[in-house]
Each structure stands twice: as structure tokens, then as C-alpha cells.
Amino acid sequence: MSLQIPASMQRITDFDNTRQSPLPRERLEATRKAALAFHERFMDEPKVLFYKSINLIRVPYPTWYGYSGVYAQSAYRFPFIHILNRLFVIQYRDFAGEVKTLLFSPSDIDGNRETPFFKRLVEKLHLPKSAQDFMAPTYHSVESALASTGIRPEQVDYISYDHLHTQDLRKWLGTGANKGYFPNAKLLVHEQEWASTSALIPCQADWYCPHGIDGVNTSRIIQFTGSIQLGRGVALVHTLGHTEGNHSLVARVKDGIRVTSENGVGADAYHPINSTINAVRRYAQATGAEVILNGNTLEGSNDQYISMVMEKTIAGASVNPDYPNCASSSEATPYWLVPQQQSSFLIGEAEFGKAIV
């Protein structure tokens, strides 16, 4: 297992000292200031060669978690929202000038069903398979999503996730003599996230796939500390809080900078004061909250709040200036099974550039 990033990557030091103060407000403002400077610097980066986000599967998700705190003093007529999980395919030049391919959030849909929370949910509802398919429809597998780009599995250099909730890595990286579906890929993971998976407490373990990393060859794992820039126009920025080792994908693309994680479930979470969802907007007005946490584990709510402000400051405005360019890896989206669900603005799927195949 490597504890040193490849020479073709660079450490990012912009945020190293932003959370040193004992005062939460000072930590927030120091992080915001650093994120604004990072945004300006990253806007001067060349655009990545190729970027595509692709719908994988939508799943029901507790409203209580998706909009943490919002409904504590009011009723919501339906206990679930629907979130749409996506794969992100990025090609870029590293600092050695070589073309690299990164898959961000490649979810093994079948393997991930073993996540205790979702497994209990399915068992509790007692739904037949046909009904489950209506409740959680699949649009693409990772395999078919990648095939739609023309990129071959052996071209994939790296896979990464903002954190390892629900993820089973064995299919992709293999175990033992089996090299997995991506025979040349390595996992990029924050060292704290990797450490956490080996010693979870119950509130964490409910969201991690049992045995999801068992037997994976440690030579396929690259751990990093802090934040790193993978190459021209693409970075992984440590955004602790949702988990201690959470990190976010930052990509320079045609419409500016896109920032991706599951810290928030969509535009309403990242700029609630402009939300057309009455409860979300009123909560932001009443409390002054700049963001709404995705709070299924709340490993560090203060840090997650600061990280979400950091993300939206790095991203800047989207094509809709009322909302930042935060492309959530699981975006809350309307679905006919949940007629009450609203979304003020959808980032949706996107494609920029041309894949190198």
C-alpha cells in the first residue's frame, strides 16, 4: 500500500491551516477565504480533456438524512426523497504530460445492496423484485456507462470515491490472483477514510458494505493526506465531516468548475436561502444556515458544514446563478413515486470534451 502519491501528482497546501482556530466561525471564514483563492487559481487551469457524468441508479433515501435538521420542527408528508447516483468519468493530463482516466464514484450496484441500512430497508418493505425495480430503477451499470464513452476497462488508471459508504471494491480491483474489472486501476483514497473502514463503530458500519474491501491487493491502493491535484484541471480536496476522510472531486470544465461529493444532495442543500422548497428556505431564513447537511452519519457536523461552504465557494456559480456548480454524486431528483418531492434546480448529467479511446 502506497503512502506516497505518484510524482505525477502534486499536494495542495491551500487548506492546510484553515481549521486550526478553536473558534468555529474563524475556521469557517478562514476556509472560505482559502476556497475563494483556490477558485481563482483553478479557473486558470486548463479544462480536463473529457468529463462525463452518467446516471446509474436512483434509490429512496430518508428525508430526515437528506435535509438534516430541516424537518425537526415540521412534518413532511413522505419519509423518503429519491436520490440519483451517478458515475463521473474524467480524462486529463497529469503533471508528467500523460493522459490519465479517473472514474469517480463507480458503484457496484449489486455488491452495494449488502449495505446494512439498505438491506434492512428492502427486507422491511417485503417488496418483490419487480416492485424493487420500480422503487430503485437502474439506468446503467458501471460497465455499460463506461462503454457509452468508448473507454475500455484497461484504460482506467484510477478509481475514487468521496468516501466509502456502501462501496464494494472487490469487483473493480479484484482479490487474490483476480485483477478485477479494471486490471490497471488503483484506488485513490484519503488515509483517514481507509483507516476508518478497518475499525467502524455501529453508526458508521450501518453505511459501509460488509467485506467491501476484504482481500483487495494493497498494492492497488494509494492513500493520500490532505488534498492533492491529480493533474491539469482536476483535484481531490479533503472535505472532512460527512466522514473524517471525505474528499471532493474538483474538475475544471467548460462551464467553470464542478465540485462533486455527497456532502449535500443537490442545489437546495448548497444554497438553501434560494430554495423553492418552502421548508428548506424557511429553515435557512430562520437559522442563517448557508448549507443543509446530508446527515446520515454526522461524523463531524461542524466540519461538514464548513466543507460544504468550501465546496460551493470553490465551484462558483452554475449556469443558474442562484445555485453553485456542485454536482452531487447522489442528487435529489423528482420521481413519480414521490409526488411531493421538489428540486429547485438540477445539475443533471453533463458531457464536455471528447473521450480519448
Side-chain angles (χ1 to χ4, degrees), residues 7-151:
S8 58
M9 301 178 186
Q10 295 179 358
R11 283 201 69 241
I12 294 170
T13 59
D14 303 54
F15 306 102
D16 283 1
N17 299 310
T18 58
R19 305 197 195 202
Q20 300 302 308
S21 172
L23 307 179
R25 172 61 68 178
E26 287 190 0
R27 297 198 297 269
L28 172 64
E29 295 309 325
T31 302
R32 192 197 312 273
K33 181 179 179 180
L36 183 59
F38 186 83
H39 169 87
E40 295 300 322
R41 176 170 75 79
F42 221 72
M43 284 295 291
D44 289 333
E45 286 285 316
K47 301 175 184 67
V48 295
L49 303 173
F50 177 68
Y51 176 107
K52 186 175 183 179
S53 56
I54 307 164
N55 294 341
L56 296 181
I57 185 173
R58 64 163 60 249
V59 295
Y61 188 69
T63 308
W64 184 268
Y65 292 151
Y67 297 110
S68 183
V70 169
Y71 296 97
Q73 294 179 317
S74 62
Y76 188 67
R77 288 177 293 172
F78 202 83
F80 295 100
I81 57 175
H82 252 263
I83 55 176
L84 185 51
N85 179 248
R86 295 191 174 100
L87 170 71
F88 297 79
V89 184
I90 300 96
Q91 289 184 315
Y92 61 94
R93 291 193 184 278
D94 67 15
F95 288 108
E98 296 183 8
V99 175
K100 298 294 183 181
T101 300
L102 166 71
L103 300 190
F104 194 79
S105 196
S107 296
D108 176 0
I109 293 170
D110 291 328
N112 296 1
R113 295 185 200 277
E114 295 301 308
T115 301
F117 176 86
F118 287 111
K119 190 171 185 178
R120 286 201 316 275
L121 179 62
V122 170
E123 292 171 350
K124 184 176 182 179
L125 294 174
H126 299 295
L127 294 177
K129 181 63 166 61
S130 58
Q132 292 179 36
D133 290 340
F134 275 111
M135 179 171 282
T138 298
Y139 302 101
H140 272 291
S141 64
V142 168
E143 296 93 324
S144 66
L146 186 65
S148 74
T149 70
I151 296 171

Side-chain angles (χ1 to χ4, degrees), residues 245-288:
N246 201 87
H247 67 265
S248 303
L249 170 69
V250 178
R252 177 70 170 95
V253 293
K254 184 178 180 180
D255 69 351
I257 297 171
R258 290 199 167 210
V259 180
T260 294
S261 79
E262 261 185 358
N263 275 322
V265 296
D268 293 289
Y270 279 100
H271 207 57
I273 198 67
N274 285 347
S275 177
T276 59
I277 302 173
N278 287 337
V280 172
R281 184 183 66 258
R282 289 168 182 164
Y283 177 82
Q285 291 170 338
T287 64

Side-chain angles (χ1 to χ4, degrees), residues 317-328:
S318 69
V319 293
N320 182 338
D322 287 339
Y323 301 99
N325 215 14
C326 293
S328 300

Side-chain angles (χ1 to χ4, degrees), residues 281-320:
R281 184 183 66 258
R282 289 168 182 164
Y283 177 82
Q285 291 170 338
T287 64
E290 295 184 61
V291 293
I292 305 296
L293 310 187
N294 174 15
N296 58 329
T297 56
L298 291 176
E299 290 190 25
S301 57
N302 281 8
D303 274 320
Q304 186 174 347
Y305 184 98
I306 293 170
S307 289
M308 289 181 69
V309 172
M310 174 183 168
E311 287 177 313
K312 73 176 187 176
T313 305
I314 291 173
S318 69
V319 293
N320 182 338

